[in-house]
Amino acid sequence: MRDPAASGRTGRPVRSRADVSSAGPGETAPGPVEGVPRERDECLPREQDVPLPREQDVSLPPEQAPSGPTVSGVCHGTLGELYQGPLRAGPDPEIAVVSFPVDRHSWVHFTPRATVGPAPLAPPLGEKARRAARLFLDHYGLTLPPGDWHTHSELPVGVGMASSTADIVATLRCLFRVFRLPYDLQVVLGVLAAIERADSVFLDEFALYLSGRHRVVRRLGTDIGFHTAFVTEPGTVDTAAVTPLLLDHYRRRGDEYQRCLTDLVKGFDSGDAAAVARAATVSAALSQEVLPKATFGSLLAHRQRFGADGVFVAHTGCLAGYLYTARPRAHVKADLSAFFHSLGHQCTFAQGGYG
């Protein structure tokens, strides 16, 4: 889900900066919700000119200038969401998500070079990652030294695995390390708010998150984890195009979503993974009414046969699969693989969450 957002601390406005290539200085190649207790909000302003928290001017002395071996940034992706729906029932719903972190990642590497020169052939930063780098450099008043970018990702694009958000966060984490700056989550949130609606992959825990406003409503911890078996259906979903449909659906089914979210948060609070899986199944079933998955009906009908604790989906993506609180045995994996193959899909197994 992607779209700019929201409000927070004052500081230097984000604006574009051209020198994000690895060609060196002077060159400009592209290189209170009912049942849901609140915690401290983390939110930032809307619009493209998003004020970031002002830091001291960073003019690094020569002995602190970036140099040396490769520096990397890493960020995990998601398997869709355990919940996506309104934060509260009502006529003006806000889209809230509980993203489902997965042990699949995006990597961004930067290797400083001693001299300016053409970069070797390597996958460049994507458009959004380049923009994130420009915003980062502008905020801190820095210029990227000569060096080479390299990227790698296990996250397919456009299926609901938060690939673009993970690319952005990995790029920012890399840049913090390149310049030996303390990691600042508010800067990360500010950059994300200027670029896209985002998943909460910048956190290493579950969270109830307003993706459009970039606000963490409630941190849900790291006690819950699942084993998964899932498939990726063909096609992509244009989130912006379907948002009006989603909001109409949330208005109609607000009470059901409210109960689902309350049950989900209670499951997290009590460390009850099975309860979380049941609530995730309800959220997936509600989503099926507006953005249906071709395999969902079969998954739901055969859930007990395969001993799964729940069903999850990428609500505005192409993923659908089973949740297990314990690792499926080899013969169950074989049966699942045959079942998904009969539906025309290759099954994938992955660990999601943390516990």
Side-chain angles (χ1 to χ4, degrees):
M1 302 187 53
R2 298 169 170 78
D3 133 328
S7 72
R9 295 160 52 186
T10 58
R12 179 181 301 175
V14 173
R15 60 185 187 278
S16 263
R17 183 181 182 89
D19 50 349
V20 299
S21 77
S22 57
E27 302 221 358
T28 57
V33 179
E34 182 179 354
V36 183
R38 293 177 59 87
E39 288 192 353
R40 179 179 61 87
D41 290 345
E42 295 173 12
C43 56
L44 291 168
R46 302 184 70 93
E47 306 302 337
Q48 297 271 330
D49 289 337
V50 179
L52 292 178
R54 180 66 180 267
E55 299 288 341
Q56 293 182 344
D57 289 338
V58 180
S59 299
L60 300 179
E63 64 272 14
Q64 295 182 18
S67 63
T70 296
V71 175
S72 301
V74 186
C75 183
H76 66 79
T78 70
L79 291 178
E81 304 82 23
L82 297 178
Y83 175 85
Q84 180 178 311
L87 180 63
R88 59 174 62 84
D92 189 20
E94 292 184 277
I95 298 177
V97 299
V98 177
S99 294
F100 185 19
V102 65
D103 193 22
R104 299 287 189 272
H105 299 84
S106 174
W107 288 265
V108 173
H109 311 282
F110 184 78
T111 305
R113 282 188 282 116
T115 58
V116 175
L121 294 176
L125 292 179
E127 178 184 352
K128 291 182 178 180
R130 289 198 306 273
R131 187 176 176 200
R134 286 195 296 268
L135 295 172
F136 178 96
L137 295 170
D138 185 77
H139 171 64
Y140 284 107
L142 295 168
T143 299
L144 196 67
D148 304 317
W149 291 106
H150 298 265
T151 64
H152 178 74
S153 181
E154 299 174 315
L155 307 172
V157 176
V159 301
M161 296 187 73
S163 60
S164 66
T165 305
D167 289 346
I168 291 169
V169 173
T171 300
L172 296 174
R173 287 176 173 173
C174 182
L175 286 167
F176 278 114
R177 294 170 66 86
V178 166
F179 290 101
R180 302 175 189 174
L181 295 171
Y183 184 73
D184 191 330
L185 179 58
Q186 293 301 316
V187 171
V188 174
L189 282 168
V191 171
L192 285 170
I195 297 174
E196 67 174 16
R197 182 187 295 273
D199 297 88
S200 57
V201 294
F202 53 83
L203 296 175
D204 288 323
E205 63 178 312
F206 284 105
L208 176 61
Y209 181 64
L210 296 179
S211 59
R213 294 176 58 191
H214 296 266
R215 177 189 296 173
V216 177
V217 177
R218 174 79 188 273
R219 294 174 183 259
L220 298 173
T222 58
D223 292 339
I224 300 294
F226 295 101
H227 298 270
T228 72
F230 67 94
V231 297
T232 304
E233 297 184 359
T236 58
V237 176
D238 183 339
T239 303
V242 302
T243 295
L245 295 174
L246 289 175
L247 294 176
D248 286 343
H249 175 62
Y250 296 163
R251 293 183 189 99
R252 290 194 305 270
R253 303 301 296 270
D255 291 339
E256 290 90 339
Y257 274 107
Q258 188 75 76
R259 288 192 292 270
C260 175
L261 180 56
T262 298
D263 290 344
L264 186 86
V265 171
K266 286 180 179 177
F268 275 105
D269 286 346
S270 62
D272 187 343
V276 171
R278 289 192 296 271
T281 305
V282 173
S283 182
L286 287 167
S287 174
Q288 186 72 1
E289 298 177 12
V290 62
L291 291 175
K293 307 291 184 290
T295 57
F296 180 80
S298 295
L299 266 70
L300 193 61
H302 293 272
R303 182 188 64 81
Q304 289 184 316
R305 169 190 167 194
F306 293 114
D309 294 281
V311 178
F312 73 94
V313 298
H315 292 67
T316 51
C318 306
L319 307 178
Y322 285 130
L323 297 167
Y324 288 89
T325 58
R327 181 188 296 274
R329 301 185 62 137
H331 73 275
V332 175
K333 288 185 174 182
D335 290 343
L336 284 166
S337 298
F339 167 68
F340 283 119
H341 184 74
S342 73
L343 299 178
H345 299 284
Q346 173 60 47
C347 176
T348 300
F349 300 103
Q351 286 187 263
Y354 302 96

